[in-house]
Amino acid sequence: MNNYKITLLKGDGIGPEIVNQAVKVLDKAADKFGFAVTYDEALLGGCAIDATGVPLPEETVAKCKASDSVLLGAVGGPKWDNQPGNNRPEAGLLGIRGALGLFANLRPSVIFGPLKSASPIKDDIIGDNMDIMIVRELTGGIYFGERGRKEVDGQPAAWDTEQYTVSEVERIARVAFDLAMKRGKRVTSVDKANVLESSRLWRETVIRVSKEYPEVELNHMYVDNCAMQLVRNPKQFDVIVTSNIFGDILSDEASMIAGSIGMLASASLSGGKLGLYEPIHGSAPDIAGQNIANPLATILSVAMMLRYSLNQQEAAEAIEAAVAKVLETYRTPDIYEEGLQKVSCEEMGDLVCAQL
Ligand code: NAD
């Protein structure tokens, strides 16, 4: 029997509540699909600052590296807002991504049928099966390039650098093409090649990598057009692959199309088996400790972990189907609609387990 070692980084705010529900669901899936899971907990973010003085203790990095996969709740909160920038909870988040070499961020934007009305986009534009996967390069580009201040025309000015090497583009392109092979076999590469030299290199490289995937249809889109197309006709997309900064912006736009922040999962991958899985939302300090947070984004992150790191496709699909079924009748307060039953964070976890 496969036995997977998972490190839990519950974090701050609602982090522990939502991770506990996701663990319950993972245990139930393990029972049902015949694999075992062992957990180890480690500190990240504000709770790590309180216990050790730093947001990312060495021990946390070591535990994550020694595991098959990592499940993260969320970090941060007002208690740590006055920490210096490099010692804030969010610095721990960037630190762990760097330490694990997580260069690919996967953000699916999927609408569950019963939640269609939560989307700000009209029903006929979304259709019945909108399912976009945004693959964002996570460790390169302008967020990591050289930057500085200087004087221009006698006044202060500032500059940042967008730079990509061929190998950085090749590896993210391969992640996107591999994913497309398991999905709709279409990749849209988003760049600004009409203006930026870094985008021209990006595009040439993606085209070259695409030759390894003759079954996948590749098209290119400028980022400004993509931002427009996402709300005009989101159904046209299967996998979108793009740079760090463009992906940052487009993935937030795409997540709004899906409606509710409490529903959206994400994965960060290193190319090997190890991945870090987390909801896209933050630690929601305003509702922490009240047992009303929506645990579904974290539960769906577990489904992604099963699919992309643990190779348990059937279990992943079963969790997603269970979530869709439960949503027909039960809702946490953030996605509540009249006529349905309002449930707590814990009850939602139990309902998904029961449905599994
Ligand atoms: P947030 O995502 O925590 O909350 C935004 C709003 O959405 C709040 O009203 C919150 O109650 C609600 N919300 C979020 N998740 C929910 C859930 N699962 N169920 C029900 N409602 C939910 O964003 P914020 O308020 O801007 O940030 C709060 C803290 O989280 C800050 O310290 C921020 O730095 C941190 N943060 C962490 C991450 C992360 O850990 N990956 C991401 C974003 C923000």
Side-chain angles (χ1 to χ4, degrees):
M1 190 196 276
N2 285 318
N3 186 346
Y4 305 114
K5 209 168 144 196
I6 309 295
T7 299
L8 302 175
L9 305 174
K10 294 184 176 177
D12 311 313
I14 61 170
E17 304 165 47
I18 53 178
V19 169
N20 289 344
Q21 302 316 308
V23 165
K24 257 182 357 200
V25 173
L26 182 54
D27 283 338
K28 180 73 196 282
D31 260 4
K32 186 174 157 119
F33 292 93
F35 58 89
V37 185
T38 2
Y39 302 99
D40 197 359
E41 284 191 34
L43 297 170
L44 181 78
C47 60
I49 297 174
D50 287 349
T52 69
V54 293
L56 176 60
E58 300 256 317
E59 189 191 9
T60 296
V61 175
K63 282 185 176 180
C64 290
K65 281 186 174 167
S67 60
D68 291 305
S69 224
V70 182
L71 181 64
L72 168 67
V75 299
K79 183 177 176 193
W80 304 281
D81 277 351
N82 295 326
Q83 290 281 333
N86 60 358
N87 210 50
R88 285 177 63 102
E90 295 78 3
L93 205 56
L94 289 181
I96 191 72
R97 287 177 183 151
L100 301 180
L102 304 170
F103 67 86
N105 184 237
L106 274 50
R107 286 223 340 214
S109 188
V110 182
I111 294 202
F112 287 85
L115 278 183
K116 246 167 124 172
S117 59
S119 172
I121 307 280
K122 291 189 191 113
D123 274 14
D124 58 323
I125 292 182
I126 299 168
D128 285 324
N129 45 10
M130 189 196 90
D131 181 357
I132 303 171
M133 177 68 83
I134 298 196
V135 179
R136 165 188 170 193
E137 202 289 327
L138 203 57
T139 53
I142 197 161
Y143 293 172
F144 291 88
E146 272 185 54
R147 70 198 55 177
R149 298 268 178 136
K150 58 183 178 181
E151 194 156 299
V152 176
D153 296 336
Q155 54 177 327
W159 55 276
D160 299 272
T161 323
E162 171 86 342
Q163 173 180 292
Y164 272 108
T165 63
V166 165
S167 58
E168 281 175 317
V169 183
E170 281 173 350
R171 66 182 185 176
I172 193 76
R174 286 200 179 95
V175 170
F177 283 109
D178 286 338
L179 276 169
M181 284 299 289
K182 295 181 187 161
R183 296 170 43 101
K185 298 201 167 83
R186 285 179 294 126
V187 168
T188 302
S189 171
V190 173
D191 61 36
K192 190 71 185 167
N194 50 343
V195 179
L196 301 177
E197 196 55 40
S198 53
S199 278
R200 287 192 271 274
L201 179 90
W202 178 281
R203 191 178 282 215
E204 284 160 30
T205 309
V206 172
I207 291 173
R208 202 169 51 249
V209 172
S210 74
K211 309 287 184 226
E212 300 164 24
Y213 300 84
E215 283 177 58
V216 178
E217 182 191 318
L218 169 67
N219 73 315
H220 305 274
M221 207 177 261
Y222 296 138
V223 61
D224 42 348
N225 186 26
C226 183
M228 190 172 73
Q229 295 297 333
L230 272 171
V231 286
R232 199 183 76 90
N233 179 16
K235 284 176 291 185
Q236 70 184 287
F237 296 107
D238 177 21
V239 176
I240 291 175
V241 61
T242 191
S243 63
N244 202 343
I245 186 169
F246 295 160
D248 191 6
I249 298 162
L250 293 176
S251 60
D252 265 22
E253 185 189 359
S255 65
M256 267 321 288
I257 300 172
S260 170
I261 194 167
M263 293 296 304
L264 294 163
S266 78
S268 301
L269 306 178
S270 64
K273 197 174 56 158
L274 182 62
L276 182 143
Y277 297 81
E278 59 181 317
I280 71 158
H281 59 72
S283 58
D286 51 333
I287 58 165
Q290 298 175 38
N291 194 21
I292 56 170
N294 184 348
L296 292 177
T298 319
I299 290 171
L300 292 167
S301 300
V302 160
M304 289 189 85
M305 176 192 288
L306 289 164
R307 179 173 288 125
Y308 298 119
S309 282
L310 309 182
N311 207 13
Q312 295 283 348
Q313 195 74 14
E314 241 188 305
E317 279 165 21
I319 291 175
E320 286 159 356
V323 167
K325 188 71 192 157
V326 167
L327 283 171
E328 288 175 8
T329 317
Y330 302 98
R331 304 287 174 86
T332 43
D334 58 310
I335 49 171
Y336 179 69
E337 279 175 63
E338 243 183 58
L340 300 177
Q341 231 167 298
K342 203 182 274 184
V343 296
S344 68
C345 178
E346 224 176 301
E347 285 166 332
M348 184 54 98
D350 290 336
L351 285 160
V352 175
C353 286
Q355 188 62 43
L356 255 181

